[in-house]
Amino acid sequence: MAKPLTDHDRRKQISVRGLAGVENVADLKTNFNRHLHFTLVKDRNVATKRDYYFALANTVRDHLVGRWIRTQQHYYEKDPKRVYYLSLEFYMGRTLQNTMVNLGLENACDEATYQLGLDMEELQDIEEDAGLGNGGLGRLAACFLDSMASLGLAAYGYGIRYEFGIFNQKIINGWQVEEADDWLRYGNPWEKARPEYMRPVHFYGKVEHTREGVKWVDTQVVLALPYDTPVPGYRNNIVNTMRLWSAKAPCEFNLKDFNVGGYIQAVLDRNLAENISRVLYPNDNFFEGKELRLKQEYFVVAATLQDIIRRFKASKFGSTEFVRLDLSKMPDKVAIQLNDTHPALAIPELMRILVDIEKLEWEKAWDIVIRTCAYTNHTVLPEALERWPVDLFQNLLPRHLEIIYEINRRHLERISNVYPGDHDRLRRMSLIEEGNVKKINMAHLCIVGSHAVNGVARIHSEIIKNTVFKDFYDLDPQKFQNKTNGITPRRWLVMCNPGLAEVIAERIGEDYIRDLDQLKKLLDFVNDEAFIRDVAKIKQENKLKFAAHLEEHYKVKINPSSMFDVQVKRIHEYKRQLLNCLHIITFYNRIKNEPNKLWTPRTIMIGGKAAPGYHTAKMIIRLITAIGDVVNNDPVVGDRLKVIFLENYRVTLAEKVIPAADLSEQISTAGTEASGTGNMKFMLNGALTIGTMDGANVEMAEEAGEENLFIFGMRVEDVEAMDKKGYDAICYYNRIPELKQAMDQISAGFFSPGEPELFKDLVNMLMHHDRFKVFADYEDYIKCQEKVNALYKNPKEWTKKVIHNIAGCGKFSSDRTISQYAREIWGMEPSLEKIAAPDDPR
């Protein structure tokens, strides 16, 4: 009998991983050994795994550098319009494998390391995640960078180089415990410090109105030191830049007045300035009005705008001095996209530069700002909207407060002219909210200061126009657009699920990787026995691999033939992990009632981080782990139901669990999840979705056919109607016996025998003030889960639905999303053209 293929041999057969040419492999080995030698020559003789990882990373990086330099040279010569994507978060994950995929080096590197007696997957596991984001918003920015490079756009991601990213989550005795994410501990081979582009950023001080104009004086200065990370496009030889700023105290910091506290203290106080880039705020969809956060927001904006204007002035342009210094041409050469309101200060800061420093008159400057800036809204949850106290601004950014007041004065004057006498409208639309504490509404500032405002899925963009920003839509309907989110098929298919990528390529070729609409061609294979078999086989292999991973890292044994039912996302009441919990308890109770019935076995996995200050979210995690302790240790249940909390969910864990999932849980209350992007990743990787008509689920159902998803629950209209008449949880509790039983078990301490009161806060919330109406969707959810069970018993029909889903994924490529931003907001034209590689003649 033939020996089963090793992992390495199996990987070698996957053509989407690139060609392993003999010369290529030989060169890689030579360069690997050179890098290893330089690593070791410094201090040691024995190489560690980490030394091998760094040698491989540096070898791959060598392939980027020539392309990077050439791309930037190409932009300098052609002088295209440039787009600047400003975001407080870039959730990048690991870089090594993604770089190999985009450069077509994966098989060559695999072969080279294999010939050197190393296992490439082991080396990849040494890399730390760049966890500079909380969830969807930060990961979207990362997918967008990949697509912008793959579409040949002259694009730059600008953000903060946090020393500590999103915390690592440990589960200890069922509770979440946070630990600092010291991701730079061993150094980062992918970044290059650029001290020559260091920029000063000013805080505090006071404003002087003089005859020569306005001056902001007596400020405290912090230096912004840029670190550049290359962003390679998919096999087009383009390498763009992500530039992240790190805070540095200036040399003279605190020393001018060091008689106060002395020299040593003055040097120690440098930390205060450098704290600006110390740590990512770990809130997802929640606003916490802390001064340090406002400093971070201004820091990234002020440093970035200096860079943008320097690059605008230095570019070759028409190269006559006059044109180069004419800032009115800026909107023809510069687009700035604001990823949520976090970089909203770009609007007043650009005004400050144009008016105070470049001496333009207000109207001219304002026209430039509006034509340059565009704003993406990511949420309608009121607690997530940024509203900064005016006194914080007065102290930290006094000139920006004056500018915002002037923007608001002119804005309100315009409204008065359009709607004379409508004082309530003026109050609603003002950038300044009156109250006990006067606050600046940053979303209003973004809308007024941008030429385009977009939501991130069709339903979300409609909700924005009809509710939260209705007044602004009535005034300026032409500003409002939709740009449904997408994901990069490079990381989220080719890289994380090469087996599936390959069986697709065998049927329709490899071009779909840069043109995901081609997946439609798979509809020709929906009834193809061989293809059905191949898709099911890949899923089974992925499940076995993930089961082995769980056993190795968490010591849990699971049944790989059970349905893998997965809900991974940040823990939040609106995402309704509690609804999932109620289904688990109901299913458990049914097995206990009829232990001899043929149940469809399930492994239910829930994962995600809770913001450290979000008590309810932490209690939800505690409930999930408590339910798991009971269910997993009940001999009557056996391996028909297992509940696993996936610890420390992050990009790298997503890349492992998503390809293994059978069922994707997307169960937010209709109207609360702006888009979701995890939903798209599961769909592309061959899971079926159980979900509400919320966010992008609506468009997924439209693309794949609603009959190929498990849709349940209230629609947005139903939720609105219920808000009008009032939601009465107790009525559901009394009417539905299985719901009552589950709730009674939670509140009586069935899942917390040592502490019967443990979950009383959760129970009280669900019964008396549940904004997200969990009980209202319970019945339909349970019925829908029964349909899931029935279909799973028929693997062939299940897999046919899977194929319909994969075939409907084309729309959800971030390449499509970015092409729409480029054409409809930035005024740029995407291109699939390759530029010459560094080793080609020019």
Side-chain angles (χ1 to χ4, degrees):
M1 204 179 108
K3 212 165 77 226
L5 291 178
T6 65
D7 278 351
H8 170 73
D9 287 330
R10 184 178 297 122
R11 295 200 297 261
K12 263 190 354 196
Q13 295 176 358
I14 296 179
S15 66
V16 292
R17 292 165 57 97
L19 298 169
V22 180
E23 305 82 11
N24 218 351
V25 172
D27 285 349
L28 286 167
K29 284 165 71 179
T30 305
N31 288 326
F32 180 92
N33 283 319
R34 181 172 53 87
H35 280 296
L36 189 62
H37 172 76
F38 287 127
T39 305
L40 295 179
V41 90
K42 286 184 284 213
D43 54 356
R44 302 191 309 288
N45 288 336
V46 179
T48 63
K49 283 260 160 70
R50 179 162 281 106
D51 295 320
Y52 292 131
Y53 160 71
F54 275 102
L56 178 56
N58 285 309
T59 303
V60 171
R61 188 170 153 258
D62 289 343
H63 285 255
L64 280 172
V65 182
R67 291 172 170 91
W68 199 6
I69 292 165
R70 180 169 279 199
T71 301
Q72 300 310 312
Q73 182 67 26
H74 173 77
Y75 291 155
Y76 181 78
E77 288 166 9
K78 292 265 191 273
D79 193 42
K81 186 167 184 179
R82 291 169 160 90
V83 59
Y84 295 95
Y85 196 83
L86 268 62
S87 182
L88 271 279
E89 303 185 20
F90 286 95
Y91 202 171
M92 302 296 283
R94 289 175 178 167
T95 296
L96 174 58
Q97 194 183 358
N98 185 246
T99 304
M100 293 188 299
V101 165
N102 280 12
L103 262 39
L105 286 174
E106 224 181 341
N107 267 331
C109 288
D110 205 336
E111 187 57 33
T113 49
Y114 180 74
Q115 289 180 18
L116 293 166
L118 299 166
D119 176 17
M120 192 165 74
E121 287 195 355
E122 260 180 53
L123 300 187
Q124 285 168 179
D125 269 334
I126 289 164
E127 183 176 357
E128 299 275 356
D129 272 45
L132 308 185
N134 278 287
L137 173 146
R139 182 56 233 174
L140 185 77
C143 283
F144 279 4
L145 292 182
D146 181 271
S147 285
M148 290 186 292
S150 297
L151 291 169
L153 296 172
Y156 301 77
Y158 273 92
I160 296 175
R161 179 180 178 269
Y162 300 107
E163 198 177 318
F164 296 91
I166 188 65
F167 60 86
N168 285 312
Q169 179 193 57
K170 290 261 190 294
I171 300 297
I172 297 178
N173 299 324
W175 297 94
Q176 167 176 298
V177 177
E178 303 87 22
E179 58 178 41
D181 165 41
D182 193 4
W183 72 292
L184 294 167
R185 181 172 48 234
Y186 299 106
N188 174 4
W190 305 107
E191 68 182 8
K192 176 80 184 79
R194 307 298 301 274
E196 66 273 27
Y197 292 117
M198 191 130 61
R199 297 279 171 260
V201 175
H202 298 262
F203 293 103
Y204 303 108
K206 58 176 197 266
V207 182
E208 289 178 354
H209 293 261
T210 70
R211 250 171 302 204
E212 299 81 68
V214 183
K215 293 196 169 65
W216 180 19
V217 297
D218 300 339
T219 55
Q220 293 181 24
V221 175
V222 177
L223 299 175
L225 170 64
Y227 285 78
D228 287 358
T229 299
V231 179
Y234 183 71
R235 302 188 190 181
N236 61 358
N237 297 319
I238 284 179
V239 180
N240 284 343
T241 301
M242 175 177 67
R243 177 163 285 181
L244 302 180
W245 301 100
S246 185
K248 273 299 258 164
C251 293
E252 67 283 6
F253 187 81
N254 266 11
L255 288 174
K256 23 191 186 316
D257 40 27
F258 86 69
N259 48 341
V260 192
Y263 163 73
I264 294 289
Q265 194 53 48
V267 173
L268 297 183
D269 284 347
R270 294 167 61 84
N271 275 321
L272 297 168
E274 295 172 0
N275 277 338
I276 290 175
S277 56
R278 194 79 67 202
V279 60
L280 168 74
Y281 273 84
N283 304 315
D284 185 75
N285 274 299
F286 183 78
F287 171 61
E288 187 178 356
K290 295 281 191 287
E291 182 179 47
L292 181 60
R293 171 67 173 197
L294 186 58
K295 279 185 176 168
Q296 289 180 339
E297 292 183 353
Y298 180 62
F299 175 75
V300 64
V301 152
T304 299
L305 279 169
Q306 291 178 68
D307 225 24
I308 290 174
I309 287 168
R310 171 191 60 77
R311 199 176 282 119
F312 169 77
K313 287 182 172 180
S315 65
K316 280 172 62 168
F317 233 48
S319 80
T320 67
E321 283 306 302
F322 168 73
V323 178
R324 189 172 300 178
L325 298 177
D326 179 6
L327 287 157
S328 69
K329 297 279 188 291
M330 199 160 105
D332 302 332
K333 289 291 174 185
V334 173
I336 295 174
Q337 190 68 37
L338 306 176
N339 194 26
D340 214 316
T341 56
H342 313 148
L345 287 166
I347 291 165
E349 172 67 3
L350 184 50
M351 278 305 279
R352 187 185 70 83
I353 293 166
L354 296 177
V355 174
D356 294 0
I357 297 168
E358 301 287 344
K359 307 295 186 196
L360 273 64
E361 72 275 15
W362 184 279
E363 290 77 6
K364 187 92 207 129
W366 186 240
D367 178 65
I368 292 169
V369 169
I370 283 193
R371 287 166 52 217
T372 302
C373 296
Y375 157 58
T376 302
N377 172 275
H378 284 272
T379 182
V380 295
L381 294 180
E383 64 268 35
L385 295 176
E386 291 195 294
R387 298 177 164 96
W388 288 104
V390 162
D391 21 6
L392 203 55
F393 258 84
Q394 184 63 259
N395 184 34
L396 190 70
L397 300 167
R399 178 57 182 147
H400 296 77
L401 182 58
E402 289 186 350
I403 289 169
I404 289 167
Y405 278 149
E406 180 59 17
I407 292 170
N408 194 41
R409 188 186 68 75
R410 291 166 180 255
H411 164 58
L412 293 180
E413 195 172 273
R414 181 183 166 213
I415 297 164
S416 291
N417 291 334
V418 180
Y419 303 98
D422 192 342
H423 296 297
D424 199 51
R425 186 180 297 263
L426 287 177
R427 181 191 56 74
R428 294 195 309 265
M429 294 183 76
S430 176
L431 308 192
I432 312 295
E433 295 181 354
E434 305 291 343
N436 319 345
V437 205
K438 285 176 73 171
K439 291 180 174 174
I440 302 169
N441 184 314
M442 302 304 271
H444 291 185
L445 175 62
C446 285
I447 296 169
V448 171
S450 297
H451 69 278
V453 175
N454 73 280
V456 291
R458 193 204 301 135
I459 188 176
H460 169 233
S461 297
E462 290 303 313
I463 288 170
I464 276 174
K465 294 190 298 191
N466 299 330
T467 59
V468 248
F469 304 141
K470 180 179 193 304
D471 293 326
F472 292 90
Y473 175 68
D474 292 343
L475 185 67
D476 283 314
Q478 76 292 340
K479 277 190 183 183
F480 287 77
Q481 301 189 19
N482 172 243
K483 296 286 167 279
T484 300
N485 282 163
I487 57 174
T488 170
R490 273 72 65 180
R491 182 175 294 264
W492 296 111
L493 180 59
V494 179
M495 186 184 121
C496 71
N497 201 344
L500 181 57
E502 186 67 9
V503 305
I504 293 170
E506 282 167 7
R507 304 314 197 280
I508 67 172
E510 271 181 51
D511 282 355
Y512 75 89
I513 297 167
R514 31 149 65 82
D515 176 16
L516 205 64
D517 279 323
Q518 294 191 28
L519 289 177
K520 283 192 181 57
K521 297 176 185 170
L522 292 177
L523 290 175
D524 296 342
F525 298 91
V526 165
N527 296 305
D528 180 309
E529 298 288 340
F531 187 58
I532 292 170
R533 207 167 37 244
D534 284 350
V535 169
K537 176 166 158 283
I538 297 294
K539 179 61 73 180
Q540 200 50 43
E541 285 171 6
N542 292 339
K543 288 173 71 172
L544 286 163
K545 190 169 179 180
F546 189 64
H549 171 82
L550 283 183
E551 214 174 319
E552 186 189 341
H553 291 91
Y554 304 101
K555 313 289 174 250
V556 280
K557 265 187 97 65
I558 58 174
N559 169 10
S561 65
S562 65
M563 183 200 309
F564 284 14
D565 168 349
V566 183
Q567 185 179 25
V568 283
K569 50 188 71 240
R570 286 295 291 256
I571 309 292
H572 201 298
E573 288 159 82
Y574 87 84
K575 293 176 187 282
R576 298 201 296 191
Q577 283 90 357
L578 286 171
L579 183 56
N580 196 340
C581 289
L582 290 175
H583 169 250
I584 297 172
I585 296 171
T586 303
F587 187 35
Y588 170 76
N589 288 333
R590 287 181 178 186
I591 295 172
K592 294 286 279 184
N593 283 338
E594 301 185 74
N596 298 322
K597 197 172 155 184
L598 267 180
W599 299 100
T600 308
R602 285 200 193 207
T603 302
I604 301 175
M605 307 181 212
I606 304 177
K609 291 173 183 174
Y614 188 175
H615 173 252
T616 305
K618 290 188 141 179
M619 288 310 301
I620 291 169
I621 291 175
R622 187 63 191 90
L623 177 62
I624 296 162
T625 57
I627 294 169
D629 286 339
V630 170
V631 170
N632 300 345
N633 294 300
D634 190 322
V636 175
V637 173
D639 66 358
R640 294 180 288 186
L641 176 61
K642 289 278 180 252
V643 178
I644 291 168
F645 186 85
L646 295 173
E647 194 177 292
N648 203 29
Y649 180 65
R650 58 199 188 284
V651 174
T652 293
L653 187 54
E655 289 161 6
K656 293 176 166 62
V657 68
I658 291 171
D662 291 306
L663 187 67
S664 160
E665 300 265 358
Q666 308 296 335
I667 59 178
S668 54
T669 312
T672 62
E673 188 73 88
S675 167
T677 44
N679 47 3
M680 302 168 189
K681 292 162 194 171
F682 283 103
M683 183 181 186
L684 183 58
N685 282 277
L688 297 186
T689 301
I690 183 167
T692 51
M693 277 296 200
D694 197 21
N697 298 357
V698 177
E699 290 159 82
M700 286 163 50
E702 191 174 294
E703 295 295 303
E706 195 171 331
E707 68 281 6
N708 295 308
L709 281 79
F710 297 98
I711 298 290
F712 73 94
M714 296 181 290
R715 311 301 199 250
V716 167
E717 306 72 47
D718 305 317
V719 175
E720 285 169 357
M722 186 170 290
D723 282 328
K724 279 205 187 72
K725 86 168 207 292
Y727 163 65
D728 179 10
I730 293 180
C731 143
Y732 293 94
Y733 169 84
N734 288 323
R735 187 170 61 72
I736 307 163
E738 286 185 305
L739 172 60
K740 182 177 192 302
Q741 182 187 6
M743 288 303 298
D744 290 350
Q745 286 169 311
I746 296 169
S747 50
F750 180 84
F751 297 105
S752 51
E755 295 174 79
E757 298 277 81
L758 186 58
F759 300 117
K760 70 171 188 312
D761 289 355
L762 283 184
V763 170
N764 182 52
M765 182 274 291
L766 284 170
M767 300 291 279
H768 303 293
H769 32 85
D770 173 10
R771 295 166 57 203
F772 303 105
K773 307 174 177 65
V774 170
F775 293 0
D777 277 340
Y778 168 84
E779 221 172 356
D780 203 18
Y781 181 54
I782 300 294
K783 286 200 185 105
C784 199
Q785 289 283 18
E786 290 166 8
K787 291 182 193 160
V788 173
N789 286 333
L791 187 67
Y792 194 75
K793 286 192 164 82
N794 185 341
K796 192 168 151 186
E797 289 309 308
W798 179 279
T799 306
K800 283 186 186 183
K801 282 202 194 291
V802 165
I803 295 166
H804 275 284
N805 272 268
I806 297 170
C809 273
K811 177 177 184 176
F812 305 107
S813 169
S814 48
D815 296 345
R816 185 269 316 151
T817 311
I818 288 298
S819 297
Q820 290 183 335
Y821 275 96
R823 296 190 178 112
E824 298 164 26
I825 297 181
W826 304 331
M828 300 167 75
E829 192 49 45
S831 153
L832 286 177
E833 177 183 357
K834 260 179 136 161
I835 63 168
D839 36 18
D840 295 347
R842 305 211 56 164

